[in-house]
Amino acid sequence: RTPTRKAAATRTPARKPVAAPRRSADHIAAGPRATSYPLRRGEAYMNPAQIHYFRELLLGWRLELQEEMDRTVDLLKREAASFPDTLDRATQEGEFALELRARDRERKLIRKIDDSLRLLDEGAYGFCETCGEDVGFRRLEARPVSTQCIDCKVLAEKRERQYG
């Protein structure tokens, strides 16, 4: 028996699964994957659900950074070759130096993530280290390692520009 024209027209072609693109090192260092917490009007700041949300966000971000660091170590081991040509050797060393500099930035970021996780455990996460006010939920969502509210951060940056 053959399918009718209507049945044939309603079929959708099978799609091949698309692999998720690999995140670049800059993208990983920029912040965790964009997931949004459904913030409700009148919801208490840093309630248990929000604390859980930020803990998972920070832990996931730290895991991504550590995996990227592990990949770099493997890459350096695999690709380390002694080229007879000095230009090839210099190019490889320059690439390695760039990779290592990026990993060093990520290592410092992991330290900030660990500090944020410690603040979560202490109940001080989400509050400005300078004035004690709320850092702001959306600010923390954009940059979970923020330790200052936007007003204090702007003042600190102005002072830094003025006084070096």
Side-chain angles (χ1 to χ4, degrees):
R1 207 177 139 171
T2 59
T4 64
R5 283 182 186 237
K6 186 174 183 181
T10 59
R11 281 192 210 147
T12 56
R15 293 187 179 179
K16 293 180 182 177
V18 178
R22 184 173 173 269
R23 298 180 77 194
S24 69
D26 290 336
H27 191 179
I28 291 171
R33 293 184 194 268
T35 57
S36 186
Y37 177 86
L39 195 58
R40 294 168 201 59
R41 184 190 310 242
E43 185 175 12
Y45 185 68
M46 285 299 128
N47 64 44
Q50 291 176 2
I51 290 171
H52 176 75
Y53 169 75
F54 282 115
R55 183 179 310 283
E56 293 300 312
L57 196 67
L58 289 163
L59 289 171
W61 193 14
R62 183 174 68 178
L63 181 64
E64 282 184 47
L65 289 166
Q66 288 173 331
E67 287 172 352
E68 188 64 28
M69 291 174 80
D70 292 342
R71 277 193 290 273
T72 299
V73 170
D74 291 341
L75 174 79
L76 293 176
K77 286 179 183 176
R78 266 194 332 259
E79 306 245 338
S82 181
F83 291 108
D85 183 49
T86 45
L87 287 178
D88 289 341
R89 194 170 39 243
T91 299
Q92 183 185 44
E93 288 176 11
E95 290 172 358
F96 284 177
L98 193 61
E99 274 295 314
L100 291 172
R101 194 170 354 155
R103 295 302 86 75
D104 187 51
R105 280 194 344 254
E106 290 173 357
R107 181 186 52 79
K108 291 174 184 173
L109 183 55
I110 287 173
R111 190 176 311 134
K112 287 182 180 181
I113 291 170
D114 289 339
D115 290 344
S116 295
L117 289 167
R118 183 184 45 77
L119 289 172
L120 268 169
D121 292 338
E122 295 171 358
Y125 181 78
F127 298 95
C128 180
E129 67 184 7
T130 306
C131 69
E133 293 295 318
D134 299 354
V135 170
F137 187 87
R138 294 297 178 208
R139 175 166 167 69
L140 285 172
E141 198 170 38
R143 186 73 173 158
V145 293
S146 297
T147 57
Q148 291 181 307
C149 66
I150 195 70
D151 293 335
C152 291
K153 184 66 175 174
V154 168
L155 283 172
E157 287 175 356
K158 283 182 181 177
R159 273 190 232 112
E160 187 178 318
R161 279 194 305 270
Q162 273 183 332
Y163 304 112

